[in-house]
Amino acid sequence: MKYKTFAFSALALAASSMTFAQSNSGSSQVTLYGVVDANVQVLDGASTLSRVQSGGLNGSRFGIRGTEDLGGGLRAFFTLESGVNLDDGTNGQGAFWGRQAFVGLATPYGKVSLGRQYGSVYALTSDFSQFSNNNTGASTAVIGGFGGYEPVRGSNNTATGNGGPARVNNSVKFESQNYDGFSAGALYGAGEVAGGTTDNRIADIYGRYTKNGFDAMLSLVDDKADVIGQNIRTVSAAAAYDMGSYRFNGGVMQINDRSSADRDGTGYWLGASYRLGSHLLKTQYVQSKNDGRLADGKTQAFGVGYQYDLSKRTALYSSLTQFKNDGVGYANRAAGSLSSGLTSASDRDLTEVVAGIRHSF
């Protein structure tokens, strides 16, 4: 009995110590979340292609995020997020935690984070676009001609690695608090090249104003990689306005390629949507024009889409988009990748039909 009494007393003391430690360190929370999104896509051009694609409304993913209140206005946070291609089960970004992987500390003045994380181009082309930056519809993924909405080429030799300026490896990021609608941020991605770190880096600064239904963002990205002769600067701006059931949006990207490739380009988009209960109707026009020294061409995309929300987590969607490709070089494109033979020298235009389902958890 004495032994049992001692054992129970020890357990009670240990439990009270653990409770005190938890309350002293503050509350913490870890969340598992994700998106599963797949669609049937039909592309008709010089030939016809039917396929199942992943990520029509949102890129498919699963992730873990967490926070801990440290007291005194401090908060620790982290995110680990993996992209998934539902059509074949492969990873979406060529790395297991390829969408995001970072840890940071939030203060009353702003937050600092380190790891692989979004640059300003991701938010600007996603938040201000009716078709987001995915691979279907009249999406901002059409813009650039350099691997989708990412206006520079990413490789293992650049600071951006396998992501372009949308996701930046080896990065340190600061975002300010919101001051009466205005916030600003800066990101630096180190190239980690021996003897030449500053010659292989990406710098990203941006500002955003959100208030009374109006949302606007301005971004400057400077990507330099002397190892492969890359020196590219991208200036982007976008805005959106919500007016009851209506939403209007637009944006522009100016790409200045100062390397020998000289792949300059300009892209812009204009869109609008109308929501009636569970029904969402949307339309968008996108233009991408390459006017560099080595290749000229222009892609125009006009799309209409319909979304029906079965619940807060599940939606059915469809879209019809016409792509008009003129010129040479990087002009033959759609929002997603094109198979060989889908366009030809005499037939570069494409018609795309999409129907899919998205569920989030």
Side-chain angles (χ1 to χ4, degrees), residues 313-327:
R313 296 182 177 273
T314 305
L316 302 176
Y317 63 90
S318 61
S319 64
L320 171 64
T321 307
Q322 178 68 36
F323 297 91
K324 180 175 175 55
N325 293 306
D326 299 311

Side-chain angles (χ1 to χ4, degrees), residues 17 30 38 105 188 193 232 267 318 328 338:
S17 298
V30 176
L105 186 67
Y188 182 84
V193 174
I232 301 165
S318 61
V328 296
L338 298 184

Side-chain angles (χ1 to χ4, degrees), residues 145 290 296-299 323-334 336-338 342-350:
N290 305 99
D296 292 328
K298 181 171 69 174
T299 292
F323 297 91
K324 180 175 175 55
N325 293 306
D326 299 311
V328 296
Y330 291 89
N332 292 353
R333 58 183 291 100
S337 61
L338 298 184
L342 196 55
T343 60
S344 66
S346 59
D347 189 0
R348 294 191 174 108
D349 297 344
L350 289 166

Side-chain angles (χ1 to χ4, degrees), residues 43-339:
L43 286 166
D44 183 58
S47 63
T48 301
L49 172 67
S50 300
R51 58 187 177 184
V52 173
Q53 290 281 78
S54 180
L57 282 183
N58 303 107
S60 298
R61 73 199 74 173
F62 74 90
I64 306 169
R65 56 180 169 233
T67 62
E68 182 184 13
D69 186 358
L70 302 174
L74 298 179
R75 177 174 56 87
F77 61 90
F78 77 90
T79 295
L80 297 171
E81 189 174 275
S82 178
V84 182
N85 293 322
L86 292 190
D87 52 330
D88 58 12
T90 59
N91 183 269
Q93 287 75 39
F96 188 77
W97 299 115
R99 287 189 63 92
Q100 300 182 82
F102 62 84
V103 63
L105 186 67
T107 76
Y109 306 101
K111 55 186 181 180
V112 178
S113 52
L114 297 86
R116 173 173 169 85
Q117 47 198 328
Y118 290 141
S120 62
V121 171
Y122 186 93
L124 193 141
T125 55
S126 178
D127 297 354
F128 297 89
S129 170
Q130 293 293 340
F131 286 89
S132 190
N133 47 28
N134 294 303
N135 59 2
T136 61
S139 160
T140 51
V142 175
I143 294 175
F146 310 130
Y149 61 89
E150 302 163 354
V152 303
R153 278 73 65 207
S155 78
N156 293 330
N157 296 321
T158 72
T160 55
N162 58 334
R167 299 180 179 92
V168 183
N169 291 341
N170 311 317
S171 63
V172 179
K173 182 179 182 179
F174 171 78
E175 286 188 332
S176 75
Q177 292 284 29
N178 189 302
Y179 297 100
D180 196 27
F182 179 78
S183 61
L187 177 148
Y188 182 84
E192 298 186 2
V193 174
T197 300
T198 58
D199 296 328
N200 195 59
R201 54 94 185 111
I202 184 169
D204 184 343
I205 58 174
Y206 53 94
R208 187 165 182 172
Y209 179 79
T210 306
K211 193 172 183 179
N212 298 327
F214 179 73
D215 195 0
M217 187 171 180
L218 180 65
S219 162
L220 171 63
V221 178
D222 192 79
D223 188 8
K224 184 179 181 183
D226 284 355
V227 175
I228 58 173
Q230 179 170 290
N231 191 352
I232 301 165
R233 180 171 293 169
T234 303
V235 179
S236 309
Y241 182 65
D242 291 316
M243 187 175 63
S245 299
Y246 294 91
R247 178 176 176 84
F248 304 94
N249 65 275
V252 60
M253 299 179 69
Q254 177 65 49
I255 300 158
N256 179 16
D257 187 347
R258 296 171 292 178
S259 66
S260 58
D262 192 21
R263 292 173 177 171
D264 293 346
T266 303
Y268 71 88
W269 65 98
L270 294 169
S273 64
Y274 174 73
R275 176 170 286 280
L276 179 62
S278 298
H279 306 272
L280 177 66
L281 299 171
K282 59 185 179 181
T283 184
Q284 186 157 275
Y285 171 80
V286 183
Q287 182 183 116
S288 177
K289 187 175 187 299
N290 305 99
D291 50 15
R293 177 173 56 86
L294 301 181
D296 292 328
K298 181 171 69 174
T299 292
Q300 300 176 80
F302 178 75
V304 293
Y306 170 70
Q307 177 181 325
Y308 179 72
D309 295 331
L310 296 169
S311 69
K312 290 183 178 180
R313 296 182 177 273
T314 305
L316 302 176
Y317 63 90
S318 61
S319 64
L320 171 64
T321 307
Q322 178 68 36
F323 297 91
K324 180 175 175 55
N325 293 306
D326 299 311
V328 296
Y330 291 89
N332 292 353
R333 58 183 291 100
S337 61
L338 298 184
S339 302

